[in-house]
């Protein structure tokens, strides 16, 4: 989630530069609460006006008449606690628990000015098909304040406005997370997971060549040869990560996530270096299988983050895995024809295969260090 | 290309398209694309209003007087800036007194003022009627009730009660408003003019708000007599006293639009576009001037209307009706909004949007309630009467 936020922040900063706005509207106070249930967890997005937070808590620590991002960040823990004290979510089986410690803070704009955005996750004791929202935020400061609550669930999208005189509402028939949802998450995980991308590309760069007995690369004559090679590699990778993803999701095996993440980074280095200096010869699918076992543990922690319901874990697992496959195949489909057309050029060989692999190896090496010692050097 | 290549190409293309369609929402986490995480801690996000007064005083429950003065301060600030958040804060400042049926007169008056500002005229009326039954000598309650009844086109109360007000200027404007809305604008202008003329001649000291209220009322009386030059002079004088008064700015902008001088509206309102009603006048002026920027500003206004509608507020109907008719061009929707607005308030401005919407839609039958009121009250306003005659 954080990674997406960074990318989006850059895009929006660029947009904001070109779109001057008028003075912000004078408007009565509203907060915008968006709840997205997945099984027994609920994704919470809450936009609260900085003016309202300021009136309730006092955010201008420096007293210069402005609220800065630094001041907002410094108050993060306090305002997260304050905000979620004004919200209670429950399902039929009991009260949900908002994981306020993991809440992320951002900022956005509505018609009446800047808002703080809190992104958090709630875990519930059962599926959130009937979700009750009890809302008490800000009524002590502004009795005309309203909470615009939106519950997203599959195709359904319901809005209910809570106010001082009506502070509670039960959203009925919130759709269960559809298998398609997890397919999408799987695809999204591949496309936005830069380490998986790096690994895949490291495997794909040489797919339009054959290794000669002397260790040099020669272009393949037909697209089908390249496709068959890639298919073999991707299938091996898939079978392998499906095994470990299943084992980890059902709780049979559990590895420390730092080890898993560092090993995934190491696999990226390995795959990239193999393009420069032959390490495994023609057994690249075997390597893909072994490395796939490691990546499966990585997928399982991503899946756990999505909050799959325990009752439907198998279906979720299959859906997510299908998504991962579709995500991979789509990259292959995008890349392979282009690579095939360019395979005879010096540019492909020098820039993509040699320099590209070297770059991936370098980045992967930094990741290994970062993840092994728990430090951060790269912005991604 | 060989057939096999074409087939392969087709397969790839289909696959890619499918994936892009299916994966798009997840790939960019579309729900949160507007959220950003600034990198510069010194980036200014918003103005601060300083340390919250309520937090300082939270240790002890405020007395009634403290609560009333805090609420009054919020209302005054809101009136000056046109910021509706002030009303909710005033309401919160009253705390438990808001629901107390035995609350003192000062609290009841504030409750009525807040309800009136929220266009909850019936509840405000009930509060004030109850208060006057208990303490008939309460002039503030009498004045506020007369104002509410006048807005609702009930002029009998004002005619009977305004003269009883102890303060001469308040009595004059209170009565003048009722007179002007029932065909006696010239007499109203004389009466309020006289009351204003005694200022500084040993009369009670006046707040700026009272003077602006009186002068801008004179402007309305002049407009209804068709004396637009005189009206303009009054509005300009009122703006000299209080340059940012939202009510006067709106009245003067409307006059300029009627006079066919939209170019002058833009500098007049440039600093006050945070108020939706004033932004509407800017949009209208830009559109009439054929400015290309009109579209952008209109979109901003539409967003604001949408946000207000989303929270369930209905206080914007008059402005929305005008917007739908002149900017969007949806006469049917404009008429529906004008009719809904007419159920709540019946000032000349409400009659105006109603008649304009009906004319745009070509629906004469719909205007019956407005025509009936115009006939009954003998309202003089030439613009309104011309519109009533020509509708559709």
């Amino acid at each position: 989630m954080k990674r997406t936020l960074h990318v989006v922040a850059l895009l929006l900063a660029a947009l904001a530069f070109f779109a001057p706005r008028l003075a912000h509207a004078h408007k009565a106070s509203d907060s915008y609460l968006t709840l997205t249930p997945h099984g027994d967890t609920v994704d919470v997005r809450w936009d609260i006006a900085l003016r309202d937070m300021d009136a309730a808590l006092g955010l201008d620590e420096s007293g210069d008449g402005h609220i800065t991002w630094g001041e907002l960040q410094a108050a993060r823990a306090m305002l997260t606690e304050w905000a979620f004290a004004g919200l209670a979510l429950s399902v039929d089986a009991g009260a949900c628990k908002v994981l306020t410690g993991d809440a992320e803070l951002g900022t956005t704009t509505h018609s009446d000015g800047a808002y703080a955005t809190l992104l958090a996750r709630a875990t519930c004791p059962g599926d959130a098909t009937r979700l009750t929202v009890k809302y008490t935020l800000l009524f002590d400061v502004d009795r005309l304040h309203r909470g615009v609550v939106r519950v997203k669930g599959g195709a359904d999208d319901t809005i209910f406005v809570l106010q001082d005189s009506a502070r509670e509402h039960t959203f009925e028939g919130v759709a269960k997370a559809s298998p398609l949802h997890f397919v999408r998450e799987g695809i999204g995980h591949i496309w936005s997971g830069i380490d998986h991308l790096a690994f895949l590309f490291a495997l794909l760069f040489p797919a339009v060549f054959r290794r000669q007995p002397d260790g040099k690369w020669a272009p393949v004559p037909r697209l089908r040869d390249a496709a068959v090679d890639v298919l073999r590699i991707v299938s091996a990778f898939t079978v392998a990560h499906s095994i470990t993803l299943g084992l980890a999701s059902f709780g049979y095996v559990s590895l420390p996530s730092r080890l898993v993440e560092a090993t995934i980074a190491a696999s990226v280095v390995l795959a990239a270096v193999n393009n420069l200096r032959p390490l495994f010869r023609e057994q690249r699918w075997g390597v893909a299988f072994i490395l796939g076992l490691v990546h499966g543990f990585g997928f399982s922690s991503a899946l756990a983050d999505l909050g799959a319901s325990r009752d439907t874990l198998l279906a979720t697992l299959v859906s997510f895995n299908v998504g991962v496959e579709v995500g991979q195949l789509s990259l292959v489909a995008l890349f392979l024809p282009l690579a095939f057309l360019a395979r005879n050029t010096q540019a492909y060989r020098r820039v993509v295969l040699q320099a590209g692999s070297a770059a991936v190896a370098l980045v992967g090496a930094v990741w290994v260090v970062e993840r092994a010692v728990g430090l951060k050097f790269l912005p991604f | 290309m060989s057939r096999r290549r074409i087939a392969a190409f087709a397969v790839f293309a289909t696959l890619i398209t499918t994936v892009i369609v299916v994966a798009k929402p997840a790939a960019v986490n579309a729900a949160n694309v507007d959220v950003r995480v600034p990198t510069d801690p010194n980036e200014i996000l918003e103005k601060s209003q300083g340390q919250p007064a309520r937090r300082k005083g939270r240790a002890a429950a405020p007395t009634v007087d403290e609560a009333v003065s805090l609420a009054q301060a919020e209302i005054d600030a809101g009136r000056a800036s046109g910021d509706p958040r002030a009303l909710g804060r005033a309401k919160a400042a009253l705390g438990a007194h808001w629901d107390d049926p035995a609350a003192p007169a000062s609290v009841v008056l504030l409750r009525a003022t807040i309800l009136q500002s929220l266009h909850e005229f019936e509840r405000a009326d009930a509060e004030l009627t109850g208060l006057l039954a208990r303490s008939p000598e309460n002039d503030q309650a009498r004045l506020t009730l007369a104002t509410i009844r006048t807005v609702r086109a009930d002029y009998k109360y004002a005619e009977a009660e305004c003269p009883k007000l102890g303060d001469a200027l308040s009595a004059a404007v209170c009565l003048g408003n009722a007179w002007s809305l029932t065909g006696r604008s010239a007499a109203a202008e004389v009466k309020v003019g006289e009351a204003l003329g005694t200022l500084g001649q040993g009369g009670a000291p006046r707040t700026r708000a009272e003077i602006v209220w009186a002068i801008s009322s004179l402007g309305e009386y002049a407009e209804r007599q068709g004396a637009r030059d005189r009206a303009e002079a009054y509005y300009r004088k009122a703006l000299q006293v209080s340059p940012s008064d939202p009510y006067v700015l709106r009245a003067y902008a409307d006059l300029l639009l009627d006079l066919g001088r939209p170019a002058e509206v833009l500098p007049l309102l440039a600093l006050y576009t945070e108020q939706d009603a004033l932004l509407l006048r800017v949009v209208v002026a830009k559109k009439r001037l054929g400015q290309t920027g009109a579209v952008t500003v209109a979109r901003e206004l539409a967003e604001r209307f949408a946000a207000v509608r989303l929270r369930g507020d209905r206080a914007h109907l008059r402005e929305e009706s005008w917007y739908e008719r002149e900017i969007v061009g949806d006469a049917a929707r404009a008429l529906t909004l004008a009719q809904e607005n007419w159920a709540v308030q019946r000032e000349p401005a409400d009659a105006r949007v109603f008649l304009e919407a009906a004319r745009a839609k070509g629906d004469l039958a719909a205007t019956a309630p407005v025509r009936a009121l115009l006939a009954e009250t003998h309202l003089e306003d030439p613009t309104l009467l011309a519109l009533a005659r020509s509708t559709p």
Side-chain angles (χ1 to χ4, degrees), chain B residues 113-153:
Chain B
T113 307
I114 293 168
L115 288 168
Q116 180 205 358
S117 305
L118 295 170
H119 292 203
E120 296 203 33
F121 296 121
E122 275 157 36
R123 285 177 65 197
D125 195 310
E127 289 274 7
L128 294 165
T129 310
L131 176 58
L132 283 164
R134 273 189 286 152
S135 46
E137 75 294 344
N138 193 319
D139 269 3
Q140 187 57 51
R142 181 172 287 110
L143 176 59
T144 309
L145 185 55
T147 308
I148 291 172
R149 296 264 172 101
T150 304
V151 169
R152 306 269 289 159

Side-chain angles (χ1 to χ4, degrees), chain A residues 169 187 244 249 255 312 341:
Chain A
H169 182 72
I187 297 172
T244 43
S249 297
L255 290 179
T312 55
L341 290 176

